[in-house]
Amino acid sequence: MRFPLSQLFSVATAVALLAGAVAVQALTALPPLWLTVALAIAGCIVALLRSRWRWLGWVLLGAAWTIWRADLALSARLPAALEGQDIVVTGAVLGLPHAQDDATRFDLVADTAEQDGIPAAVSGTLRLHWYASEKTVVPEIEPCSRWRLRARLKRPRGLIDPGAFDFERYALGEGITATGYVREDAVNRAIGTRMFCVEGLRQRISQGIAAALGPGPQSDVLRALAFGDQQAMDEHEWNVARATGIPHLIAISGLHIALFAGFGVLLVRLFWKLAPRLTLRWPAPLIEALASIAFALGYAAISGLGLPTRRALVMIGMLLAANLVRRARAPVHGLAFAVIVLLALDPLCVLSAGFWLSFVGVAWLMFCLGGRGERKNWWQEMVSAQGVASLGLLPLTIWFFGQSSLIGPLANLIAVPVVCFLILPFGVAGALLQLGLPALGMPLLALAGYAMRALWWLLERMADWPAALWYFPEPSAWAFALAMLGAAWLLLPRGMPARALGLVLFLPLLAPARHVPADGEFEALMLDVGQGLSVVVRTREHTLVYDAGARFPSGFDLGEAAVVPALHATGADRIDRLIVSHGDNDHAGGAAAVLAAFPRAAVSSGEPERMRVPATQCLAGEAWIWNGVAFRIVHPHEPLSAKNNDRCCVLEVRTGDSALLLTGDITAAVEGEVAAALAPIAAHTLLQVPHHGSKTSSGAAFIAALQPDLALVSSGYRNHFNHPNPAVVARYRAAGVALVDTPHSGFADFRFTADGPSRLIEQGRRDRHPYWRE
C-alpha cells in the first residue's frame, strides 16, 4: 500500500503521536507486554487505513512506543534486592562532577558491577556522592575519568510533597537507575580515562573563566549561561534568575543552539561574498545548512549535551532537513517533523518541562506572529514575541513550577539582546581563544564579563521589586486545560470578538477553589522531609508550621526544597507562627529558608539558643485560640533542666474531642510528664511519634495513656538510624495503633472536626501514584 511521506510527517501525525505519549503519563501502572504489542498492531492497521480514523492509529502507536520505552527504563533500575548492599561498580564519569562542602556529587555510567565477586544487575547512570569526613579525603574526580568503586545503592526515590520537585520522574527521563554513596574501601581507585570525551575541555573552559573573571556573577552566571555549568551558580543567583524569569537563558536550549547555528550561516554567506563564483559549483542552501549544523553540534558538545540541548539540536536539525528536502510547506511542518523525530528517539521527553516550554513556545510564536503580513520594527517584534511567550506559556509555567515572574517580560526584553549579541558570542569566543591564544581571548572574555556584571546588577535590582515573583496554589488538570484554552482565545488575531473573555478561563488556574476549614476545624499536613520533621497546621485564617526539616553542608535545604513549596502549593500566603521543637538540624535547619519566604512569622523554640534565627523560649502553659481551635504548649516546664531532645517544644492542637499532638524528639524520660500535662486527654488523638520512632521513645505507658487513633512517623527512606525501630513499631501494633510513615506515604494530609476523629484526606505517595513512582 502506497503511503505518502507528507502524511507520515504531517502536523496531524505529530499531534496524534504526542497525544499517545502524553496519555501514557496518566497511567498508575504500565500494562503488560501482550497489551502493548496489541496496541502497536492495532495502531499500525488503523494508521494505514485511508479513513478519517487514521489519527487514532497514530495515537495508539505513540502510546505503545512510549509504554515500551518506559518499561525498558523502569526495568533498568536497580533491583530491589540489591538496595542497601555494597556493590563494586566500574564505570566512567558523566558530565562535570560537583564538589560541595561535605561531598562530591557525580554521575557514573556503569559498565560492570559485582557483589562478592558475582556479577550484579547494575547498569545505566548512577548518581553518587562521595562524602568527606575526618578520616576520609575525597579525591579529585576528573571529568571523563574511569573508576572502580564500592558503592551502596538504592533505587531512585524522592520526597513527595505538594509543589515539590519530583526526583523520580526526573530520574526516569534522565536515565538514572540508582542513587547512592561511595563506601570507604581499598578497592576505590581511578582506572583510566574515557576516550573521545569532551567533558575535560568543558572543565578547562569553566576553570579558565573562573580564573580570568574571579568570583561573582560575571563568572558564575557566565559559565552556566554559555557552557552549561549550572553548578557554578549559588542559590542567591538562582533566586535572582527565577524572580526575573530568565532561567530559560541559563538552560542551554533552543535560543543558544539557534544562535550558533545562525553564526554558521553568516560565516558561509560572508565566504560567498568573498568568492561568489563558488556558488555556481556548490548549492548555497546545502552548504549553509551543513555549516549551521556543524556550528550547532560544536557548541552543543562544549555546553554539555544536556537534555534541553539535545532536544534543541534535534528540533533545529529536523527543521533544516525538512527545508532541504522540501517537505516543510510551512515552518509548522518543520516543527511537526521535529516533534515526530524527537518522540521516536525518546518518547519520555514529554516528562520534561523544557520539552513543553520549547515546542509550545515556538508554536505560539508561529501562530501569533508568523504569516500575518504585518511589518514591524525590530523592537516591536521583540515586544510582541515577549508578550506572546509570557501569556502563552503562563499556564505551563504555573503547572510545572507553581510560580511566575511578573517582571519576566520586561527583564527578558533587556536580557535577551544583551545575552545574544554580547555575552554569548564574546563569552564563548573569548573562553575558547584564551585556552590557546590568551592575548586574543582575554579581552573578549573581559568584555563578556563586564556585560554580564552590568546585566546582573540590573536584574538583582529588578528581583527586589515588590511582587516580582508570584506563587500560585497547586492547580488541577482541568484548571490547566481551561487556562490553555484561555491563552489560545486571547491570542487569536485582532478582530475576533470577545477575546477578553479568555481571561475568565484563567481564573481556576490563578485562583483555584480550596477547602477552607470552618470555625472549629483545622487541617494538619505532615510533610515528607526525609530524616526530619515538618508539620503545617491550618485553621480558617491562620497557619502554623512546626519544625522545618534539615539543611545540609552542601547547601541543600529542606525548608526551601519542601516546606516553602508546600506552603505555596496549598495556598498559604503567610505564616502566623513557626515553632521549632529544638535545635537539632533535622528539625531546625530549614527554619531560615522558611522565614526568608515568610518573614512576618513569630518564632519560638524549645532551644532558642541553638537556633540560627532569633526565637523566643517555648514554655508549657502558653495557650491561644485561632478560629475556635485551641493551641497549647505542654512542654518544656521551668526550670529548664533538660537538654537537647527533652527540651522539645510539645504542642497540642485541639477541637472538641479531637487533638493533634506534636512531640518533636522527646524521649521516654519526659513522656510521663507530657502525658500528665495533657489531662484531660482527648478522646481521639493523632500522635506524631516521638523522635522518628527511636527506641529511646514511645514507651508502652505513654502509648497506653494517650491511646492514639493513629501515629505518624516522619523518617528517611532506608535511613541509617533504622527509624522507626522494629520494637517501637511492635509496641504500637500491640496497642492497636496504626502507623503512617513518610517513606511509604509521602506527605499525609488530615482534617479535624469537633465531632469525631481526624480523617486522612490524602497520602502523597499512595494517592498520587504515576507509573514511575514506587
Side-chain angles (χ1 to χ4, degrees):
M1 182 182 292
R2 187 171 178 269
F3 193 86
L5 285 176
S6 60
Q7 294 180 8
L8 177 62
F9 296 114
S10 68
V11 175
T13 301
V15 172
L17 288 171
L18 188 59
V22 171
V24 173
Q25 312 314 314
L27 298 176
T28 57
L30 294 178
L33 179 60
W34 68 265
L35 183 55
T36 305
V37 173
L39 283 176
I41 294 173
C44 288
I45 294 172
V46 176
L48 290 172
L49 295 176
R50 291 184 176 273
S51 74
R52 61 183 178 178
W53 294 103
R54 177 178 289 146
W55 63 269
L56 180 59
W58 292 113
V59 171
L60 296 177
L61 281 172
W65 175 243
T66 305
I67 290 169
W68 184 65
R69 291 292 297 272
D71 189 54
L72 286 179
L74 291 177
S75 299
R77 284 182 172 176
L78 181 76
L82 295 180
E83 283 195 299
Q85 305 294 316
D86 283 358
I87 309 294
V88 176
V89 295
T90 301
V93 174
L94 178 67
L96 298 180
H98 183 31
Q100 302 165 298
D101 291 340
D102 63 335
T104 295
R105 189 190 73 203
F106 60 100
D107 291 345
L108 189 82
V109 180
D111 297 328
T112 62
E114 59 184 55
Q115 183 183 31
D116 299 327
I118 301 173
V122 178
S123 61
T125 301
L126 315 179
R127 176 149 295 180
L128 300 177
H129 286 77
W130 198 329
Y131 290 100
S133 67
E134 294 181 358
K135 299 181 180 179
T136 303
V137 177
V138 179
E140 186 174 358
I141 300 175
E142 297 287 346
C144 309
S145 58
R146 290 178 49 78
W147 288 80
R148 182 173 174 82
L149 301 169
R150 183 177 297 278
R152 182 161 293 183
L153 304 174
K154 63 180 180 181
R155 295 163 70 87
R157 198 173 182 93
L159 306 177
I160 309 300
D161 290 301
F165 175 67
D166 190 342
F167 175 75
E168 291 166 51
R169 182 180 69 184
Y170 168 81
L172 182 67
E174 291 289 329
I176 298 173
T177 58
T179 64
Y181 61 95
V182 177
R183 300 272 286 170
E184 185 64 25
D185 195 281
V187 76
N188 299 335
R189 67 183 187 277
I191 55 174
T193 302
R194 182 160 54 103
M195 299 295 291
F196 309 110
C197 177
V198 77
E199 299 298 339
L201 175 61
R202 290 186 65 216
Q203 186 180 57
R204 288 178 57 201
I205 292 171
S206 184
Q207 292 172 344
I209 295 174
L213 300 182
Q218 73 278 3
S219 168
D220 301 342
V221 184
L222 180 59
R223 284 186 283 164
L225 187 149
F227 293 99
D229 187 7
Q230 297 182 7
Q231 299 165 355
M233 292 177 60
D234 61 29
E235 193 56 43
H236 168 71
E237 290 163 346
W238 276 112
N239 288 336
V240 171
R242 284 188 284 264
T244 53
I246 66 162
H248 69 100
L249 292 177
I250 295 171
I252 307 296
S253 57
L255 178 66
H256 302 68
I257 303 300
L259 184 65
F260 281 89
F263 288 158
V265 173
L266 289 176
L267 186 63
V268 171
R269 288 182 178 176
L270 176 61
F271 184 71
W272 292 146
K273 289 185 179 295
L274 296 176
R277 290 178 177 271
L278 292 178
T279 58
L280 301 175
R281 185 171 300 178
W282 296 300
L286 176 61
I287 301 303
E288 289 175 3
L290 292 176
S292 178
I293 288 292
F295 268 68
L297 279 171
Y299 177 69
I302 61 174
S303 61
L305 276 176
L307 182 60
T309 311
R310 299 196 299 271
R311 182 174 57 244
L313 268 179
V314 170
M315 183 175 176
I316 291 173
M318 291 306 103
L319 286 170
L320 288 170
N323 285 322
L324 282 174
V325 299
R326 306 191 185 282
R327 291 292 177 186
R329 297 183 296 275
V332 69
H333 293 95
L335 182 65
F337 191 21
V339 171
I340 292 169
V341 173
L342 194 60
L343 290 175
L345 294 174
D346 179 20
L348 298 182
C349 65
V350 298
L351 294 171
S352 165
F355 170 86
W356 295 101
L357 294 173
S358 296
F359 281 103
V360 174
V362 172
W364 278 131
L365 292 174
M366 288 180 176
F367 173 71
C368 297
L369 304 180
R372 292 191 178 176
E374 300 179 9
R375 295 179 64 91
K376 296 181 180 180
N377 295 323
W378 66 269
W379 63 268
Q380 290 177 311
E381 292 284 356
M382 285 194 62
V383 171
S384 298
Q386 284 299 323
V388 168
S390 298
L391 182 60
L393 297 180
L394 179 61
L396 282 167
T397 304
I398 296 175
W399 175 262
F400 282 111
F401 307 115
Q403 61 187 29
S404 180
S405 171
L406 295 186
I407 63 171
L410 176 59
N412 276 277
L413 277 176
I414 301 168
V416 169
V418 173
V419 168
C420 289
F421 300 120
L422 280 176
I423 295 174
L424 267 179
F426 289 108
V428 172
L432 293 175
L433 286 172
Q434 63 100 19
L435 293 177
L437 298 171
L440 293 178
M442 287 302 296
L444 297 178
L445 192 56
L447 179 59
Y450 288 133
M452 187 73 254
R453 183 180 297 175
L455 175 63
W456 202 254
W457 179 89
L458 179 61
L459 293 177
E460 283 184 317
R461 269 89 197 137
M462 296 178 74
D464 289 335
W465 290 357
L469 186 64
W470 274 30
Y471 296 92
F472 298 89
E474 198 170 41
S476 62
W478 70 267
F480 167 71
L482 285 177
M484 289 296 291
L485 181 60
W489 197 341
L490 285 168
L491 293 174
L492 288 172
R494 283 183 296 179
M496 295 295 294
R499 282 198 309 159
L501 290 179
L503 290 172
V504 177
L505 299 181
F506 272 87
L507 293 179
L509 181 75
L510 302 180
R514 293 284 168 185
H515 176 268
V516 178
D519 284 337
E521 297 180 354
F522 71 94
E523 292 184 355
L525 175 65
M526 182 175 71
L527 297 175
D528 182 7
V529 291
Q531 190 63 23
L533 178 66
S534 185
V535 180
V536 178
V537 180
R538 296 179 60 206
T539 67
R540 183 169 60 84
E541 299 176 315
H542 299 277
T543 302
L544 177 145
V545 175
Y546 183 92
D547 284 345
R551 175 182 172 83
F552 299 98
S554 64
F556 182 66
D557 191 321
L558 269 303
E560 183 174 48
V563 183
V564 171
L567 288 165
H568 289 311
T570 54
D573 56 5
R574 75 174 193 276
I575 292 177
D576 298 280
R577 186 160 181 179
L578 170 62
I579 296 178
V580 180
S581 60
H582 63 308
D584 283 2
N585 178 60
D586 57 333
H587 297 252
V594 174
L595 283 178
F598 300 94
R600 297 183 180 179
V603 186
S604 59
S605 174
E607 293 184 296
E609 67 278 5
R610 293 180 62 198
M611 295 284 292
R612 295 172 54 233
V613 297
T616 60
Q617 177 64 54
C618 178
L619 286 173
E622 183 183 2
W624 64 97
I625 295 178
W626 284 343
N627 306 121
V629 177
F631 294 74
R632 63 167 172 157
I633 307 297
V634 297
H635 187 78
H637 294 271
E638 289 187 305
L640 298 171
S641 56
K643 295 183 184 291
N644 298 336
N645 290 350
D646 288 335
R647 277 272 297 275
C648 276
C649 182
V650 179
L651 173 69
E652 183 195 46
V653 187
R654 185 166 181 169
T655 179
D657 288 332
S658 296
L660 168 69
L661 185 63
L662 302 175
T663 62
D665 277 357
I666 62 170
T667 70
V670 298
E671 287 177 349
E673 181 182 327
V674 168
L678 287 170
I681 294 173
H684 303 287
T685 297
L686 182 65
L687 171 67
Q688 173 252 311
V689 172
H691 202 183
H692 320 288
S694 166
K695 62 182 180 182
T696 62
S697 305
S698 296
F702 182 65
I703 298 172
L706 267 61
Q707 298 181 357
D709 293 337
L710 191 65
L712 311 178
V713 181
S714 181
S715 62
Y717 177 69
R718 301 190 65 89
N719 65 86
H720 64 277
F721 299 104
N722 198 28
H723 290 164
N725 186 273
V728 172
V729 173
R731 280 202 292 270
Y732 279 101
R733 287 177 176 169
V737 181
L739 290 171
V740 171
D741 63 327
T742 53
H744 297 96
S745 72
F747 73 86
D749 193 8
F750 297 87
R751 189 170 298 162
F752 293 75
T753 59
D755 56 358
S758 62
R759 289 191 296 121
L760 177 58
I761 304 301
E762 184 178 14
Q763 297 181 76
R765 187 168 288 278
R766 295 186 178 182
D767 297 327
R768 304 184 182 188
H769 196 278
Y771 67 85
W772 60 79
R773 187 172 297 159
E774 298 181 359

